[in-house]
Amino acid sequence: MPLTPPVPDNQTAILHAAIVNHSGYGIIATDASGVITVFNTAAQTMLGYSEAELIGKATPTVFHLPSEVAVRAAQFSSELQQSVAPGFDVLVAKTKLGLPNEHEWTFVRRDGSRFPVLLCVTALQDERGHAVGFLGMAVDITERRRNEQLLAEREAQYRVLFQDNPNPMLLYDTESVHILAINAAAVQLYGYPETQLVNQHLNILLPAFEHARLQEILALSSSSLRRHRWHHQRKDGGLFMVDTVSKPAQLGKLRARIVLISESTDCATVEMQAQAADPSRLQQGQILVQPMPAPYVEKRATDFLPHNLAQRFAAAAQRQTLTALQESESRLVQVLHGNPVPTFVIDDQHHVVIWNPACERILGVSAKDMLGQKDVWRVFYPQPRPVMANLIVDGGDQIELVGYYGEACKRSDVNPDAFESVDFFQHMAGGAGRWLHFCATPLRDGKGKVVGAIETLMDITEQKRAEERANRLNEDLEVRVLERTTQLAHANEELRTAMGQLVQAEKLASLGRLVAGVAHELNTPIGNMVMVASTLSELSGRFVRSVADGSITRSAMAQFLEQNQDGTQLLLSNAKRSAELIQNFKQVAVDQTTDQVREFDLAEQICDVLSVMAHVLKPPIALLQELQPGIAMHTYPGPLGQVITNLVLNAMLHGFDQDQPGTIRVVCERIGEQAHITVQDNGQGIPAENIGKIFDPFFTTKLGQGGTGLGLHISHNIVHGPLGGRMGVHSTPGMGTTFTLVLPCTATGATHRP
């Protein structure tokens, strides 16, 4: 079997063969029974067999492990809810059902060595869509397995060296300064759940007064080893001292630093006290660090010094404090000026003391025009009114702030001492307006007195415009969805109406077939009666003439009487047969048109239905009836008869080709409180790809050949609807189809009648 359809162009055929033979995949094709027909170059290299050695051999016996095939057969049987034999069926069962069929397998080379592959199996189809073979594409995944093992080992090493390390450690991104990972020891140290630390800024571990220092250190070269002492902060707000050692780490394209943390609160306390006693001794390495006795806890360093030494230390400390304060103020100013967020600061007299470059860029007003001014309002409003920082300095509370900014104004979630709001400033951006989010915080001195306020701004104009566009789109979408829903509702109503009409038409067609069948069956007995009556009439005429002319003899009279007796018997038997057919037709017709509940014997009802179908159930199709008598039913005989009729006609139409001999077997029996009815044929069966569609409306493989696609759909609805039962089907292609009905002997909602 060729891998690709034959083509008249020899160059195209050569190209196709070259593609197959030079593919990076091992390509193995088989016919429908599993015999290998194509074994490309990559497959030969992979398995060590030549093409001549495997063409014509059956798979999977050659290069698959029998034990693995048996295990997969059991696995697929359970997964697919059908029997999968431990052979070639294992490789193609999912493909036959139209399911994805890509699995890892173990291949065995010619030399006996084994290796893992990823095998994908697809069907090869002819121009009619029938499967004529199967194509397997195999990729050696030995290297992938090795890499997975190496990755697992590295992950285990990572857990030992980082995650399970008893020393607190963390890893952060040097660009975003967000924590990438933190080990269990660090999680325990800070008191946060790991999920609240990962992807958070490193500032979460530092008190606010350390944030500026962190920014300065981050600005340094990231290539060096760093050692620092910090104030850190636990989740409960408690401060403690730590020593950190960090070094660069490269994670692919991501630059990071790994940090080793050790708590140093006690050590720092001792060092500070030792330096207070004699700063030079600490530098000379002459101080021995020992635990501090309890009486010395919470005392100042100067409490342990002589008076003159304490004075010198106090003066030196004052100078150091002043220098540190000046440096801190300088750093603060640098931070505010370098902050990319627009920020301005006013003092307690409402004078602008800081107007950073970001304010100049966003608001279009230079710092030289604003510093020392009190009219900040002119940047934001066309008429005089306080900005949020002014209200904060004047001690404004939330009620006053809401009066100016409306319900959008609220306390900050981050700093409860601050307020934030959102507003639209119409006169900005050349009259186009600008949306700003702003937050103002009071500045307090050491005694808590408000000495000014700082306000930060964020331009959210594009965000607001995007929200407006999204809202408009949502509104348009809701309108379109409503319109489409209305259209679908109308379409569904029209479809239901059409379906109802089609179902009614199918019922009438079924009744029409019933009438035609009965008429056909009545032709024979009525024709016999006409023939016998005409013969008797002729015999009677001859007898009358013989009596009239006196030529009658004893033997002629005896013959006439005998013929008259036989004719009368024939008339009676044919008349009785006609009466039975008409009675059956009347009952079945009434049942199918009235849908009334009544009591009946199941075997007799099925027999009546089949009797009026005798005209279609003729050789070479044989009808076998195995009907258990005495099954009392209290349900709807009409719908049940329609189901039996549809199933038998379905078997006649779809189960057998024209003039093909076969058998239709109808069985009924009672099991417990339920009646089981089986309609079975030994015809050609239902293809696997169609078995899930046969109860769908309008699905038929005989469109235009007598099939409407509604018979099984109507039958399924009747069984699961008024009859209150269930209907199932089992079919094996080439071995026939079995429909099974399980019905309650008393229909749900039907009251028993005496």
Side-chain angles (χ1 to χ4, degrees):
M1 181 194 66
L3 184 63
T4 54
V7 293
D9 185 354
N10 188 50
Q11 291 298 324
T12 302
I14 293 172
L15 178 61
H16 287 179
I19 292 172
V20 171
N21 287 327
H22 293 86
S23 170
Y25 300 93
I27 296 179
I28 306 167
T30 71
D31 62 14
S33 64
V35 175
I36 298 174
T37 58
V38 173
F39 193 72
N40 79 336
T41 304
Q44 296 171 40
T45 303
M46 185 183 296
L47 288 163
Y49 290 95
S50 67
E51 183 180 20
E53 288 179 295
L54 290 189
I55 295 295
K57 296 289 182 65
T59 184
T61 58
V62 180
F63 44 81
H64 280 269
L65 290 174
S67 58
E68 186 177 50
V69 172
V71 170
R72 289 289 174 84
Q75 174 189 338
F76 290 169
S77 296
S78 174
E79 181 180 338
L80 302 176
Q81 297 296 305
Q82 65 180 44
S83 177
V84 178
F88 181 64
D89 196 26
V90 175
L91 300 178
V92 300
K94 289 190 175 183
T95 302
K96 288 181 177 180
L97 295 176
L99 301 174
N101 192 359
E102 184 175 86
H103 298 280
E104 292 186 9
W105 291 88
T106 302
F107 273 10
V108 182
R109 295 188 180 91
R110 195 174 191 277
D111 61 9
S113 60
R114 303 175 181 180
F115 64 101
V117 299
L118 183 65
L119 179 63
C120 177
V121 180
T122 57
L124 297 172
Q125 298 178 338
D126 59 17
E127 61 276 2
R128 293 174 298 176
H130 296 161
V132 295
F134 298 91
L135 175 67
M137 302 181 68
V139 181
D140 187 343
I141 59 173
T142 303
E143 187 63 27
R144 192 183 82 181
R145 286 276 184 87
R146 187 179 296 113
N147 291 337
E148 289 174 351
Q149 179 63 29
L150 181 60
L151 179 61
E153 292 174 356
R154 287 180 176 175
E155 288 178 349
Q157 294 171 357
Y158 162 78
R159 285 192 296 272
V160 172
L161 296 177
F162 181 83
Q163 193 62 35
D164 297 338
N165 196 310
N167 298 306
M169 300 176 69
L170 63 84
L171 184 73
Y172 71 91
D173 180 357
T174 56
E175 182 174 351
S176 66
V177 201
H178 283 187
I179 298 172
L180 301 175
I182 187 164
N183 72 351
V187 167
Q188 183 177 4
L189 176 65
Y190 292 103
Y192 287 92
E194 182 181 2
T195 54
Q196 292 185 11
L197 292 176
V198 175
N199 294 326
Q200 296 297 317
H201 195 281
L202 202 57
N203 280 342
I204 193 174
L205 304 180
L206 282 74
F209 59 83
E210 288 276 33
H211 292 178
R213 178 177 169 227
L214 174 63
Q215 187 172 353
E216 290 178 355
I217 291 175
L218 291 174
L220 301 175
S221 172
S222 61
S223 61
S224 59
L225 189 69
R226 296 178 184 166
R227 300 176 186 271
H228 295 286
R229 175 165 291 174
W230 301 88
H231 288 86
H232 274 201
Q233 182 172 280
R234 294 186 174 89
K235 183 181 180 182
D236 61 8
L239 297 180
F240 61 105
M241 300 294 294
V242 298
D243 288 335
T244 63
V245 179
S246 69
K247 63 172 293 185
Q250 191 75 26
L251 305 177
K253 296 183 179 181
L254 187 68
R255 291 186 300 174
R257 290 190 77 87
I258 187 167
V259 184
L260 179 65
I261 306 165
S262 59
E263 187 173 3
S264 60
T265 302
D266 294 339
C267 182
T269 301
V270 171
E271 290 176 4
M272 289 175 61
Q273 292 173 347
Q275 188 172 7
D278 187 353
S280 62
R281 294 180 62 193
L282 182 62
Q283 297 173 0
Q284 297 168 5
Q286 298 175 353
I287 297 296
L288 297 178
V289 179
Q290 297 179 353
M292 294 295 291
Y296 298 98
V297 175
E298 297 184 356
K299 289 186 177 292
R300 295 177 299 172
T302 54
D303 294 338
F304 302 97
L305 301 177
H307 180 68
N308 58 345
L309 182 58
Q311 286 182 333
R312 291 201 306 271
F313 175 79
Q318 185 176 5
R319 288 193 300 272
Q320 291 177 356
T321 301
L322 181 60
T323 301
L325 180 60
Q326 291 173 345
E327 291 177 353
S328 177
E329 289 176 351
S330 176
R331 286 196 299 268
L332 177 60
V333 171
Q334 292 177 25
V335 168
L336 290 175
H337 278 273
N339 192 348
V341 177
T343 305
F344 67 89
V345 179
I346 63 173
D347 60 18
D348 56 352
Q349 300 301 314
H350 301 281
H351 293 105
V352 176
V353 295
I354 291 178
W355 188 269
N356 76 347
C359 273
E360 294 180 317
R361 291 191 300 271
I362 297 298
L363 301 177
V365 181
S366 66
K368 67 178 182 178
D369 291 335
M370 292 304 301
L371 293 177
Q373 303 299 316
K374 299 178 65 174
D375 53 350
V376 182
W377 61 265
R378 61 186 174 88
V379 179
F380 302 96
Y381 303 105
Q383 296 178 350
R385 55 156 288 179
V387 299
M388 184 174 282
N390 297 137
L391 297 172
I392 293 293
V393 168
D394 290 340
D397 57 14
Q398 187 164 2
I399 296 177
E400 183 179 8
L401 287 163
V402 169
Y404 278 99
Y405 296 104
E407 295 300 325
C409 180
K410 64 173 185 175
R411 286 192 180 274
S412 171
D413 295 331
V414 179
N415 181 2
D417 209 18
F419 286 88
E420 61 183 25
S421 187
V422 173
D423 205 352
F424 181 69
F425 299 90
Q426 181 65 54
H427 73 286
M428 289 186 174
R434 177 172 289 167
W435 281 96
L436 295 179
H437 174 276
F438 42 95
C439 180
T441 307
L443 300 175
R444 303 179 187 275
D445 60 14
K447 298 180 180 180
K449 178 184 176 183
V450 175
V451 295
I454 180 171
E455 185 166 341
T456 58
L457 311 169
M458 183 178 296
D459 188 344
I460 59 170
T461 304
E462 290 304 318
Q463 174 186 333
K464 281 291 187 178
R465 290 174 179 170
E467 291 174 357
E468 291 175 1
R469 288 194 295 269
N471 290 336
R472 287 197 297 270
L473 286 174
N474 287 336
E475 291 173 358
D476 293 342
L477 181 60
E478 289 175 359
V479 172
R480 289 197 296 270
V481 167
L482 181 60
E483 293 176 350
R484 182 54 57 89
T485 302
T486 303
Q487 294 172 359
L488 288 175
H490 291 161
N492 286 337
E493 185 61 32
E494 293 174 357
L495 180 60
R496 282 194 293 269
T497 302
M499 280 291 294
Q501 294 172 349
L502 287 171
V503 169
Q504 188 62 29
E506 180 69 16
K507 289 183 178 180
L508 293 176
S510 176
L511 186 59
R513 290 192 293 268
L514 181 64
V515 172
V518 171
H520 183 276
E521 291 300 311
L522 285 174
N523 279 337
T524 299
I526 292 176
N528 290 339
M529 287 190 293
V530 171
M531 181 182 66
V532 171
S534 62
T535 301
L536 288 176
S537 176
E538 183 179 348
L539 290 175
S540 297
R542 287 202 300 268
F543 180 77
V544 169
R545 288 193 296 272
S546 297
V547 171
D549 59 15
S551 61
I552 187 67
T553 63
R554 183 181 293 274
S555 60
M557 180 178 289
Q559 182 181 12
F560 171 74
L561 292 175
E562 182 180 357
Q563 290 174 336
N564 189 65
Q565 182 68 24
D566 291 341
T568 303
Q569 291 297 325
L570 285 173
L571 281 173
L572 288 173
S573 63
N574 281 280
K576 183 178 180 181
R577 173 59 180 161
S578 299
E580 289 175 352
L581 287 172
I582 292 172
Q583 182 62 31
N584 289 344
F585 167 70
K586 285 172 60 181
Q587 185 60 63
V588 173
V590 168
D591 286 339
Q592 291 198 4
T593 55
T594 60
D595 287 350
Q596 294 295 315
V597 175
R598 68 177 177 87
E599 292 182 350
F600 58 90
D601 183 278
L602 181 59
E604 293 178 359
Q605 177 68 16
I606 295 177
C607 188
D608 289 346
V609 171
L610 296 178
S611 69
V612 297
M613 298 180 65
H615 67 291
V616 295
L617 298 172
K618 292 183 178 181
I621 305 299
L623 175 65
L624 302 179
Q625 301 182 45
E626 300 176 17
L627 308 176
Q628 177 183 336
I631 303 176
M633 303 290 289
H634 185 66
T635 184
Y636 301 88
L640 175 59
Q642 186 176 2
V643 172
I644 300 297
T645 301
N646 287 346
L647 293 180
V648 173
L649 290 178
N650 183 76
M652 289 286 297
L653 181 62
H654 299 280
F656 307 97
D657 292 330
Q658 188 174 6
D659 299 328
Q660 176 186 351
T663 301
I664 299 175
R665 182 167 166 261
V666 182
V667 180
C668 77
E669 58 182 336
R670 178 166 181 160
I671 301 177
E673 297 299 319
Q674 295 176 321
H676 288 237
I677 303 172
T678 302
V679 178
Q680 182 182 39
D681 68 73
N682 61 351
Q684 58 193 9
I686 302 173
E689 62 269 19
N690 292 341
I691 196 73
K693 308 174 185 176
I694 60 172
F695 296 124
D696 294 345
F698 309 112
F699 178 79
T700 179
T701 58
K702 297 286 186 178
L703 190 61
Q705 305 175 38
T708 64
L710 286 174
L712 291 181
H713 174 67
I714 293 173
S715 299
H716 187 272
N717 288 349
I718 289 174
V719 171
H720 288 261
L723 297 182
R726 60 182 186 274
M727 181 177 185
V729 61
H730 175 75
S731 181
T732 301
M735 299 181 64
T737 302
T738 301
F739 286 93
T740 302
L741 312 181
V742 180
L743 307 175
C745 293
T746 299
T748 303
T751 57
H752 182 73
R753 293 183 299 179

